[in-house]
Amino acid sequence: MPADAPDIRSILNRIDFDRHRVKPGERIDLDKIDPEGDGAFDGDRADAEAMFETLNDRLEVLQELLFAEGKHRVLIVLQAMDCGGKDGVIRRVFDGVNPAGVNVASFKVPTSVELAHDYLWRVHPHVPGSGEMVLFNRSHYEDVLVVRVLDLVPEARWRKRYDHIRSFEQLLVDEGTTILKFFLHIDRDEQAERLRERLADPEKRWKFRLGDLDARRAWDAYMRAFEDAIEHTTTTDAPWYVIPANRKWYRDLVCVATIVEALERLDMRFPPAEEGVEGVVIE
Amino acid sequence: MPADAPDIRSILNRIDFDRHRVKPGERIDLDKIDPEGDGAFDGDRADAEAMFETLNDRLEVLQELLFAEGKHRVLIVLQAMDCGGKDGVIRRVFDGVNPAGVNVASFKVPTSVELAHDYLWRVHPHVPGSGEMVLFNRSHYEDVLVVRVLDLVPEARWRKRYDHIRSFEQLLVDEGTTILKFFLHIDRDEQAERLRERLADPEKRWKFRLGDLDARRAWDAYMRAFEDAIEHTTTTDAPWYVIPANRKWYRDLVCVATIVEALERLDMRFPPAEEGVEGVVIE
């Protein structure tokens, strides 16, 4: 492990990772999980920001190690309500990490060709290869979230999908992928504030869709859909984390720490030089 | 144009963009182009670094505009000899730009399936869609570079490829893509120094391949292949830039300035709010 690891370890030791991890078999009630919560960490905002910077630098090195070793694959799934902070996490947590080593796959409304296939068909081509890290900005989980709330397919059909998703993710894990899934948990009031900011900013107003308000009106139905999806698909190998996300500094710290901790556990090393490289003289 | 544009314009006015652009019909002799050259810019290194920071910030905004408008597509091709700085440009120039908006496609040795198709088959799926920016780290140009030097296909076959490539790129341009192609020009001595650094660094030694020395030995053949490729495929719509790249600060400044200038010419605006959004109250 590189020389700087003890510092990283002492920071990671300050985070209670189990606090936001959903254990297999656990029932969750999102209405009772405080989106202002900060229980996984004992410090204040200034502490958190300092820790964040160190962990963000470390993530940069860990990505290099991941690429250099070319052995592991890393998939990070981000889900949230509108304005929940998916884009913020992508920009802040991965700031400075080599863009050649991190791909972002954003899943939008499916095209007619995509709809003509099973819902994992458009997802599979985007999973990470060896040495790669991929961020899913929305994902196959939409097929048990918006699809359920808007009744786009019958319940008998979407209900089977929890099994498919567990099997699909287990396949990826068994073939060498580390999977982390984050639900960024904000409340309706926080969303209202962020939507109002979006409307007030001439450079952001274009992002606002009247249709976004439909999802907001269906807030409770979405919460129930998230709860079911998370409970049915959190596993030891591909855990869900419900991250209190009203406060961005807390959200960012817990996300980067969870990712760094998972990558440290891979115990990666820079590979040895190719045989015969010792003694080479560049002329 | 946003309020900060005049500052950007005054910086861009200090760069002679034509200096490194290869004009259609122009013959080039890489042995006579000084890789230490700094002729496109009249300042010193400190000037360049300050200008770089401003332009890098501006690129972040231009990428947001590109995505928001969803109208244009941007393709940036990076080619160089080993250690020429492709990775450096990707990391430095795009530092801070939203990773969700910039994809990097790295083209490695083709797989057997790729080789069973025409050489553009593996490239086409990676071109940018509307609102997207894609960086090609190596590209279809390898099929007239390494393929030619190592004699992997007969000359009669690779020589036709200049036409294919021009047609392919014209298709992309006609359908809304801005294309910029950079050859990062270092000399053999600079490469030797960078290879020695790589060998001396325990965290970088794994990158060194004895095979890299074969390409180094064939330096002159590669220069002739680059000259031909660049001369045959530089067009008004998809120009090549030969960037003196021994000095990283100069290389980075000219690359970011060329990209920013091209994006400013698109004269992008944040789109208006959706009809009916005026007066919406978030409850």
Side-chain angles (χ1 to χ4, degrees):
Chain A
M1 195 164 287
D4 52 345
D7 292 348
I8 303 297
R9 182 48 56 199
S10 76
I11 292 181
L12 295 178
N13 281 343
R14 293 184 59 189
I15 312 273
D16 174 9
F17 291 98
D18 271 354
R19 178 96 181 188
H20 301 311
R21 186 168 61 84
V22 182
K23 274 63 97 187
E26 184 180 344
R27 303 301 306 268
I28 55 167
D29 179 346
L30 288 172
D31 297 337
K32 293 201 174 126
I33 298 179
D34 183 5
E36 301 275 347
D38 60 0
F41 160 65
D42 60 2
D44 61 12
R45 179 174 176 162
D47 277 346
E49 287 173 348
M51 287 160 71
F52 176 86
E53 290 308 323
T54 307
L55 293 176
N56 170 260
D57 287 347
R58 179 65 183 159
L59 182 57
E60 197 175 327
V61 176
L62 288 165
Q63 183 278 323
E64 278 173 33
L65 274 163
L66 182 79
F67 178 80
E69 262 204 353
K71 203 163 115 184
H72 303 282
R73 311 154 188 201
V74 177
L75 174 61
I76 293 166
V77 174
L78 293 166
Q79 289 284 166
M81 295 295 281
D82 278 334
C83 296
K86 298 185 300 294
D87 294 310
V89 166
I90 292 171
R91 296 202 63 168
R92 294 261 305 136
V93 170
F94 294 90
D95 185 41
V97 179
N98 189 346
V102 182
N103 268 310
V104 180
S106 299
F107 294 96
K108 305 192 175 133
V109 176
T111 64
S112 56
V113 175
E114 288 169 347
L115 284 172
H117 296 79
D118 71 86
Y119 63 96
L120 294 175
W121 179 82
R122 69 168 182 159
V123 172
H124 211 152
H126 296 281
V127 303
S130 298
E132 295 176 357
M133 199 181 279
V134 172
L135 316 185
F136 277 6
N137 185 354
R138 302 185 188 271
S139 66
H140 44 295
Y141 283 97
E142 293 297 334
D143 294 284
V144 289
L145 295 168
V146 62
V147 163
R148 164 179 169 166
V149 173
L150 299 188
D151 212 13
L152 300 180
V153 309
E155 172 164 358
R157 191 163 158 199
W158 61 251
R159 201 160 271 288
K160 291 181 183 159
R161 293 182 173 176
Y162 301 134
D163 279 343
H164 310 153
I165 291 174
R166 267 200 314 271
S167 300
F168 173 62
E169 293 180 356
Q170 194 63 47
L171 156 77
L172 301 180
V173 167
D174 291 346
E175 296 285 323
T177 310
T178 296
I179 302 182
L180 299 171
K181 301 180 289 196
F182 295 105
F183 171 62
L184 306 175
H185 178 43
I186 59 170
D187 57 22
R188 268 189 112 240
D189 290 347
E190 180 68 21
Q191 190 194 48
E193 195 165 319
R194 294 184 188 182
L195 285 171
R196 284 185 205 113
E197 276 169 25
R198 186 173 283 184
L199 276 173
D201 183 342
E203 297 197 352
K204 292 193 175 153
R205 201 174 297 149
W206 62 274
K207 287 186 190 175
F208 188 89
R209 290 277 165 272
L210 287 169
D212 296 349
L213 296 179
D214 295 334
R216 178 168 167 77
R217 281 184 209 105
W219 189 276
D220 290 337
Y222 274 102
M223 291 306 110
R224 301 300 83 76
F226 272 115
E227 286 163 355
D228 275 352
I230 291 169
E231 287 172 4
H232 283 95
T233 63
T234 197
T235 64
T236 309
D237 285 335
W240 272 106
Y241 292 83
V242 174
I243 310 287
N246 274 10
R247 290 188 286 185
K248 295 173 184 172
W249 57 267
Y250 182 76
R251 169 199 84 191
D252 291 342
L253 174 66
V254 178
C255 286
V256 75
T258 305
I259 296 165
V260 165
E261 203 270 340
L263 293 177
E264 295 289 4
R265 267 188 282 129
L266 299 178
D267 194 24
M268 298 181 287
R269 301 276 195 293
F270 285 105
E274 189 183 8
E275 198 154 338
V277 162
E278 294 299 322
V280 158
V281 178
I282 312 291
E283 291 171 89
Chain B
M1 195 165 289
D4 51 347
D7 292 348
I8 302 297
R9 181 49 54 200
S10 77
I11 291 181
L12 295 178
N13 282 343
R14 292 184 60 188
I15 311 273
D16 175 9
F17 291 99
D18 272 355
R19 177 95 183 190
H20 301 310
R21 185 168 61 85
V22 182
K23 274 62 98 188
E26 184 180 344
R27 304 301 308 267
I28 55 167
D29 179 345
L30 288 173
D31 297 337
K32 293 199 175 130
I33 298 178
D34 183 4
E36 302 275 347
D38 60 1
F41 161 65
D42 60 2
D44 61 13
R45 178 174 177 162
D47 278 347
E49 287 173 348
M51 288 161 69
F52 176 87
E53 291 307 324
T54 306
L55 294 176
N56 169 260
D57 287 347
R58 179 66 184 159
L59 182 57
E60 197 176 325
V61 175
L62 288 165
Q63 183 277 324
E64 278 173 33
L65 274 163
L66 181 80
F67 179 79
E69 262 205 352
K71 204 164 115 184
H72 303 283
R73 312 155 187 199
V74 177
L75 174 62
I76 294 166
V77 174
L78 293 166
Q79 288 283 166
M81 296 295 282
D82 278 333
C83 297
K86 297 187 300 294
D87 294 309
V89 166
I90 292 171
R91 297 201 61 167
R92 294 261 306 137
V93 170
F94 293 89
D95 186 40
V97 179
N98 189 345
V102 182
N103 268 310
V104 180
S106 300
F107 293 97
K108 304 192 174 133
V109 176
T111 65
S112 55
V113 175
E114 288 169 348
L115 283 172
H117 296 80
D118 71 85
Y119 63 97
L120 294 176
W121 179 81
R122 67 167 183 160
V123 172
H124 212 152
H126 296 281
V127 303
S130 299
E132 295 176 357
M133 199 181 278
V134 173
L135 317 183
F136 277 5
N137 184 354
R138 304 184 186 271
S139 67
H140 44 294
Y141 283 97
E142 292 298 333
D143 293 286
V144 288
L145 294 167
V146 62
V147 162
R148 164 179 169 166
V149 173
L150 299 189
D151 211 12
L152 300 180
V153 310
E155 171 163 358
R157 192 161 159 199
W158 61 251
R159 200 161 270 288
K160 290 180 183 160
R161 293 181 173 176
Y162 301 133
D163 280 343
H164 310 153
I165 290 174
R166 267 200 315 272
S167 302
F168 173 62
E169 293 180 355
Q170 194 61 48
L171 156 77
L172 301 181
V173 167
D174 291 346
E175 296 285 322
T177 309
T178 296
I179 302 182
L180 299 170
K181 302 179 289 195
F182 295 106
F183 171 63
L184 308 176
H185 178 43
I186 60 169
D187 57 22
R188 268 190 113 241
D189 289 347
E190 181 67 22
Q191 189 193 49
E193 196 165 320
R194 294 183 188 184
L195 285 171
R196 282 184 208 116
E197 275 168 26
R198 185 172 282 185
L199 275 174
D201 183 341
E203 297 196 352
K204 293 194 175 149
R205 201 175 296 149
W206 62 274
K207 288 187 188 173
F208 188 91
R209 291 276 165 275
L210 287 168
D212 296 347
L213 295 179
D214 295 335
R216 180 169 165 77
R217 279 183 211 105
W219 189 276
D220 290 337
Y222 273 101
M223 291 306 110
R224 302 297 83 76
F226 271 115
E227 286 163 356
D228 276 351
I230 291 169
E231 287 172 5
H232 283 96
T233 62
T234 197
T235 65
T236 308
D237 285 335
W240 271 106
Y241 292 83
V242 174
I243 309 287
N246 274 10
R247 289 187 288 183
K248 295 173 185 174
W249 59 265
Y250 182 76
R251 168 199 85 191
D252 291 342
L253 174 66
V254 178
C255 285
V256 75
T258 305
I259 296 165
V260 165
E261 204 270 338
L263 293 177
E264 295 289 6
R265 265 186 284 131
L266 299 178
D267 194 24
M268 299 181 286
R269 301 279 196 291
F270 285 105
E274 190 184 5
E275 199 154 334
V277 163
E278 293 300 323
V280 158
V281 177
I282 311 292
E283 292 171 85

